[in-house]
Amino acid sequence: MFDATKIAEKLELEKKDLKHELERKERLALQAIAARSSMKDSLSESTRSLKKAMEDKTSMEENVNKAQEETEYYKKRYDEMFNSVSGLNKRIEELEEHKKHLLAKIKESGDS
């Protein structure tokens, strides 16, 4: 009977140990589930953030392309205006020279 009591106590201790082990493993499982959920949320947030950054990058690239096109347009317009003004200045110089020539002729004919 002493042996049976001792065996029963031993079995009761093993039962308690197994129960504690089971509770510990359940806590670990819950912690793993919570960690997995947290990592999944973090990954989802990172994915959204990456997607937004890619959209922003695309938008900025489009803006840069538009700005480059506008820059080229205005450079071309500037060159056209510069050439036009240069042509007009040249024509003004020619007219000034012609005016001087005509004034000199008038002065010569007035002196005669």
Side-chain angles (χ1 to χ4, degrees):
M1 178 107 167
F2 181 70
D3 289 335
T5 307
K6 206 172 190 180
I7 292 174
E9 287 175 1
K10 184 179 176 186
L11 288 175
E12 191 62 35
L13 283 174
E14 283 182 23
K15 181 180 171 186
K16 278 185 181 179
D17 287 344
L18 289 173
K19 187 176 179 183
H20 288 299
E21 184 67 19
L22 179 64
E23 289 172 356
R24 186 181 72 79
K25 288 185 178 182
E26 285 176 347
R27 280 192 310 272
L28 287 173
L30 289 175
Q31 287 175 348
I33 289 170
R36 178 184 175 275
S37 176
S38 175
M39 287 174 31
K40 184 178 176 186
D41 292 344
S42 178
L43 180 61
S44 296
E45 179 62 30
S46 295
T47 302
R48 280 192 298 275
S49 177
L50 178 62
K51 187 181 247 185
K52 184 178 181 328
M54 294 296 283
E55 290 170 358
D56 290 347
K57 178 185 174 231
T58 301
S59 174
M60 287 180 189
E61 286 174 343
E62 289 172 359
N63 288 342
V64 166
N65 288 338
K66 284 181 185 177
Q68 287 174 337
E69 288 172 4
E70 285 183 16
T71 300
E72 288 302 315
Y73 171 77
Y74 287 113
K75 280 182 181 177
K76 182 179 174 186
R77 292 291 308 232
Y78 173 81
D79 289 342
E80 289 171 357
M81 289 175 59
F82 182 80
N83 290 335
S84 176
V85 168
S86 294
L88 291 173
N89 285 339
K90 213 183 265 184
R91 181 68 178 140
I92 289 170
E93 287 176 21
E94 289 172 2
L95 291 173
E96 287 288 332
E97 287 297 317
H98 188 64
K99 180 177 103 176
K100 287 178 187 177
H101 176 71
L102 291 176
L103 286 174
K105 267 190 164 183
I106 290 174
K107 194 172 187 181
E108 280 179 19
S109 61
D111 287 341
S112 332

